[in-house]
Amino acid sequence: MNLELKLMESYNDGLSKGIIKGENAANRRTAMRMLRAEEPIEKIIQYTSLTEEEIQLLVGQVR
């Protein structure tokens, strides 16, 4: 495998990880808005794909 191919694979891997991280952050922001609107946890799970445990961690952050 040549250097250019390795660099391209590393770039693609980093890009994929960044996209996933960004999607997760967006889902958490959406969950926070839904929690503030007092939406049921089941609905938040359905709309954000976060786990119940992840949402419970956010509950303490709702103002």
Side-chain angles (χ1 to χ4, degrees), residues 3-63:
L3 179 61
E4 188 175 318
L5 186 55
K6 286 181 183 180
L7 288 173
M8 184 60 83
E9 286 180 356
S10 294
Y11 172 81
N12 287 337
D13 185 49
L15 183 61
S16 295
K17 288 178 182 176
I19 290 169
I20 290 168
K21 187 175 180 180
E23 288 175 349
N24 194 6
N27 285 336
R28 289 177 179 276
R29 286 191 302 272
T30 299
M32 291 293 287
R33 286 193 303 273
M34 293 177 80
L35 286 167
R36 287 187 191 107
E38 299 181 4
E39 295 288 348
I41 298 228
E42 295 78 21
K43 186 174 183 181
I44 299 171
I45 291 169
Q46 179 183 4
Y47 281 80
T48 65
S49 299
L50 295 176
T51 66
E52 184 172 351
E53 292 79 22
E54 290 172 311
I55 295 167
Q56 290 298 335
L57 291 172
L58 297 174
V59 168
Q61 301 175 21
V62 174
R63 299 176 201 161

